Amino acid sequence: NTLNQIPKTQHNTMSASASNSNNIELGYNRYGKTHVRLIKVNRHDEIHHSIAELRVQLLLEGDFADSYLHADNTKVVPTDTCKNSIYALAKLHDVTPIESFALVIGRHMVNKYAQVTGCQVLIEQTTWNRTSSGEHKHAFQRSEDFIRFARLSVAGNGSDVRLVSGVREWTLLKTTKSGFVGFDQNDPWTSLPPVEDRLMRSKVYAEWTWVQAQQYFKNPKQSLPDFCSIFKDVLVTSTDEFSGDPKEGTFSASIQQVLYQVARKLLEKHRELVTVFISLPNLHCWEYDMSKVGMKNSGDIYYPADEPYGLIEAFVTRQKSEKHRESLLSSRM
């Protein structure tokens, strides 16, 4: 589950020694509240409303060693307080764009509690569209197309801040203009034949990191990027590069090629971004053996196989960093 996968802040490890002969000590630790769900209704007038549905995880770092080592909860901010803080801040502030709300939560927790030296905030947003072809003023239908998310990591009392936006569970498919050839077929354990034309299907996970996250965090009055319009452009750019020319199509030689083209184009278009990470599973669609029923498959009947699948992941960045590899070592399966 994505809400349980916020990477820990390696450089803000509040640890404490247990001082025994086995040299056992408390290492990195964090705690908080997860799966906090809320819907906020903005009532513009009696019948014209807008809504936002979020799921929030808030985890705290700081001077909490005594609660582990000495059963002393004096400095512990209860997880109930974390939950109530999210609802209270949602009452006092706009919850969209979710990047801005993540900054509000993180800034509040670090500034209010002296023992809190850092935090991680992850927000997932469910999309609701207006009914009646988008015209209805207060009726909505839930969209299952994708999940938008934002992740804020704060360490060192705000001296190190990272803000990431992203999209996941977004499935794309094209029925031609994709292949995979030119690989080494001499390996005796390689059974895959060259494929000059195939269905290409993937469930996209993509995230992009903002250059000036620390300034956004430290200065609440600073002008923020248009998070929503850039998110929309990520969707448009990704689909355009994946799909190719709408009339003739564009051949994709590999998932790797598509991934790099999408990420490079996003960095070229948006100077506010420093890094783009994309994970593209190659969800295979195999031609079904129609000879089992005495028929010929003419490229129209396929079996979508969910497992096993190829998995292609890469960072494309303006700044090279070994931390990119480290952040993937604990990836989910």
Side-chain angles (χ1 to χ4, degrees):
N1 191 305
T2 305
L3 283 181
N4 294 322
Q5 292 156 4
I6 296 181
K8 64 178 181 290
T9 311
Q10 298 283 354
H11 43 269
N12 188 38
T13 52
M14 297 295 296
S15 61
S17 173
S19 300
N20 60 44
S21 59
N22 293 322
N23 294 320
I24 297 173
E25 65 177 21
L26 174 67
Y28 175 85
N29 56 88
R30 61 182 182 176
Y31 78 96
K33 207 73 163 184
T34 189
H35 291 68
V36 179
R37 300 185 62 180
L38 72 90
I39 292 178
K40 181 169 184 177
V41 180
N42 287 318
R43 302 181 185 274
H44 310 293
D45 57 35
E46 288 187 2
I47 62 170
H48 182 206
H49 304 156
S50 59
I51 65 170
E53 180 180 356
L54 311 181
R55 191 166 67 154
V56 184
Q57 177 169 285
L58 169 61
L59 299 177
L60 306 180
E61 300 175 352
D63 184 12
F64 303 116
D66 284 350
S67 66
Y68 294 89
L69 303 178
H70 307 300
D72 181 351
N73 295 329
T74 304
K75 294 182 179 180
V76 173
V77 180
T79 65
D80 179 70
T81 305
C82 295
K83 176 196 68 179
N84 290 336
S85 297
I86 292 168
Y87 287 113
L89 293 169
K91 173 70 174 178
L92 297 172
H93 300 269
D94 291 334
V95 300
T96 59
I98 54 176
E99 292 85 354
S100 300
F101 189 47
L103 289 165
V104 166
I105 295 172
R107 193 182 294 122
H108 172 83
M109 301 307 294
V110 172
N111 290 342
K112 181 174 182 178
Y113 301 101
Q115 68 272 38
V116 175
T117 60
C119 65
Q120 293 108 46
V121 182
L122 175 60
I123 303 177
E124 295 182 345
Q125 181 175 9
T126 299
T127 301
W128 288 90
N129 299 318
R130 296 184 184 276
T131 61
S132 305
S133 300
E135 299 297 323
H136 206 286
K137 292 188 175 182
H138 54 263
F140 305 85
Q141 59 185 358
R142 180 171 174 168
S143 170
E144 303 289 348
D145 292 343
F146 54 76
I147 296 174
R148 178 179 175 179
F149 67 88
R151 185 173 67 246
L152 174 72
S153 298
V154 182
N157 291 299
S159 63
D160 192 351
V161 180
R162 186 168 184 261
L163 179 63
V164 171
S165 303
V167 61
R168 67 178 184 87
E169 303 298 318
W170 181 32
T171 302
L172 301 175
L173 180 149
K174 69 177 183 179
T175 56
T176 189
K177 297 289 185 177
S178 174
F180 187 62
V181 299
F183 56 91
D184 182 10
Q185 294 180 261
N186 295 321
D187 190 321
W189 287 2
T190 297
S191 59
L192 180 71
V195 180
E196 295 186 355
D197 192 56
R198 62 177 179 175
L199 268 67
M200 184 164 72
R201 180 173 66 115
S202 187
K203 183 175 289 186
V204 180
Y205 176 99
E207 62 179 45
W208 44 100
T209 304
W210 300 90
V211 174
Q212 295 185 321
Q214 188 164 340
Q215 291 92 315
Y216 305 155
F217 180 81
K218 287 195 169 184
N219 185 3
K221 296 182 179 180
Q222 177 166 334
S223 177
L224 297 175
D226 190 339
F227 294 115
C228 292
S229 68
I230 293 178
F231 179 83
K232 292 177 182 177
D233 187 66
V234 169
L235 300 185
V236 171
T237 300
S238 300
T239 52
D240 286 350
E241 293 297 323
F242 180 91
S243 308
D245 180 81
K247 294 183 178 180
E248 299 295 329
T250 303
F251 184 77
S252 302
S254 65
I255 297 286
Q256 287 88 336
Q257 177 196 23
V258 173
L259 185 157
Y260 181 74
Q261 288 175 339
V262 169
R264 183 187 65 183
K265 184 67 67 68
L266 292 175
L267 290 175
E268 288 174 347
K269 294 173 70 174
H270 301 293
R271 299 299 301 178
E272 304 95 330
L273 308 180
V274 64
T275 300
V276 175
F277 169 74
I278 300 179
S279 175
L280 293 180
N282 185 10
L283 303 177
H284 304 294
C285 294
W286 305 114
E287 285 195 13
Y288 190 74
D289 182 6
M290 298 299 293
S291 66
K292 296 178 179 180
V293 291
M295 303 174 74
K296 181 180 179 180
N297 194 331
S298 54
D300 55 350
I301 303 299
Y302 293 84
Y303 169 69
D306 290 332
E307 295 179 352
Y309 56 83
L311 182 61
I312 294 86
E313 299 181 321
F315 289 91
V316 181
T317 181
R318 305 182 199 278
Q319 299 176 357
K320 294 183 179 179
S321 173
E322 289 300 317
K323 292 181 180 179
H324 292 160
R325 181 177 182 275
E326 293 173 7
S327 67
L328 291 182
L329 293 181
S330 60
S331 291
R332 65 221 180 264
M333 182 175 73

